[in-house]
Amino acid sequence: GAVVSQHPSWVICKSGTSVKIECRSLDFQATTMFWYRQFPKQSLMLMATSNEGSKATYEQGVEKDKFLINHASLTLSTLTVTSAHPEDSSFYICSARNPTSKETQYFGPGTRLLVL
Amino acid sequence: LAKTTQPISMDSYEGQEVNITCSHNNIATNDYITWYQQFPSQGPRFIIQGYKTKVTNEVASLFIPADRKSSTLSLPRVSLSDTAVYYCLVGDSTLGRLYFGRGTQLTVWP
């Protein structure tokens, strides 16, 4: 299957700082990537759709100014959590849509964020 | 967007076949059905995808009846390492967005 990586795998930061998470599709080009958040013992919640070369589309209730998404190339999307607070602590997961496999999304390993 | 319903949990023993059924009554004509497996603190792993009838790969089979209002993931001869949460998703074919339900926690016992 297709490979998607995330960096970093975990990060600890102080409240008020910004954190950037990278998502890369390693063996295919992805015009569309997605960002999810998952709290303990809960399901994944779609946050936004990242479109290469255009603005991201955010799901209802997700603050676009707090979760900045940039999709500057066909293999890289970044999520920046701005002015992070403890309630932003979560598991952030990205996925990339493989254009050669119509509906299939491949997920990254996730990034654990802990805001102190 | 089609909503999916699946059992919250299932238990099985090693070596048994496990069938997890998912209902998706409002599935759209162009929607595919995809199943993912997730272990704790990991991203979901693609298992299988189908549109209709039966699909089989090296790890699972997917059965989809003609009305496509449900689907069944079949895992042959499960092992302890198959203990995970399994998600059934119906894709938004125009935008590709996937909305996860609660999934099914499968626990395999020795």
Side-chain angles (χ1 to χ4, degrees), chain A residues 24-66:
Chain A
R24 295 181 184 272
S25 56
L26 298 184
D27 53 0
F28 65 96
Q29 293 183 328
T31 56
T32 306
M33 293 184 173
F34 304 87
W35 287 96
Y36 297 81
R37 180 168 57 180
Q38 186 176 34
F39 292 107
K41 298 196 179 298
Q42 294 187 22
S43 185
L44 285 78
M45 184 192 80
L46 178 64
M47 299 175 66
T49 302
S50 173
N51 303 297
E52 189 268 337
S54 64
K55 292 183 178 180
T57 304
Y58 291 82
E59 295 296 307
Q60 190 173 10
V62 178
E63 299 176 58
K64 63 179 181 180
D65 294 330
K66 180 166 185 64

Side-chain angles (χ1 to χ4, degrees), chain A residues 59-106:
Chain A
E59 295 296 307
Q60 190 173 10
V62 178
E63 299 176 58
K64 63 179 181 180
D65 294 330
K66 180 166 185 64
F67 300 99
L68 301 179
I69 292 173
N70 183 274
H71 193 156
S73 77
L74 289 173
T75 59
L76 173 64
S77 175
T78 60
L79 169 69
T80 301
V81 182
T82 63
S83 186
H85 292 284
E87 57 265 31
D88 297 322
S89 298
S90 187
F91 191 50
Y92 292 86
I93 310 171
C94 73
S95 71
R97 190 181 185 191
N98 188 339
T100 65
S101 179
K102 189 176 181 178
E103 292 286 332
T104 306
Q105 288 185 30
Y106 294 93

Side-chain angles (χ1 to χ4, degrees), chain B:
Chain B
L1 297 169
K3 179 182 176 181
T4 60
T5 303
Q6 32 179 143
I8 294 176
S9 64
M10 293 183 68
D11 291 285
S12 181
Y13 291 98
E14 281 189 294
Q16 290 188 333
E17 178 185 77
V18 171
N19 295 308
I20 306 175
T21 297
C22 176
S23 64
H24 26 79
N25 293 318
N26 297 323
I27 189 169
T29 302
N30 295 328
D31 286 343
Y32 279 72
I33 301 156
T34 311
W35 286 79
Y36 290 89
Q37 174 194 57
Q38 187 182 30
F39 298 110
S41 295
Q42 294 186 26
R45 182 177 76 102
F46 172 81
I47 300 175
I48 197 166
Q49 181 182 81
Y51 183 80
K52 61 180 179 180
T53 64
K54 176 183 176 181
V55 180
T56 297
N57 62 21
E58 62 275 11
V59 298
S61 295
L62 179 60
F63 299 91
I64 305 169
D67 65 6
R68 303 201 327 122
K69 294 183 182 299
S70 67
S71 59
T72 299
L73 174 72
S74 181
L75 304 172
R77 300 182 59 80
V78 294
S79 64
L80 296 177
S81 62
D82 292 317
T83 294
V85 178
Y86 292 82
Y87 294 99
C88 159
L89 292 104
V90 174
D92 179 335
S93 59
T94 56
L95 297 175
R97 294 176 300 184
L98 294 177
Y99 295 93
F100 282 75
R102 297 182 64 178
T104 298
Q105 170 65 61
L106 171 65
T107 302
V108 180
W109 302 94

Side-chain angles (χ1 to χ4, degrees), chain A residues 11-19 66 81-89 113-116:
Chain A
V11 57
I12 302 173
C13 69
K14 294 182 179 180
S15 185
T17 61
S18 295
V19 175
K66 180 166 185 64
V81 182
T82 63
S83 186
H85 292 284
E87 57 265 31
D88 297 322
S89 298
L113 170 63
L114 176 60
V115 184
L116 302 177

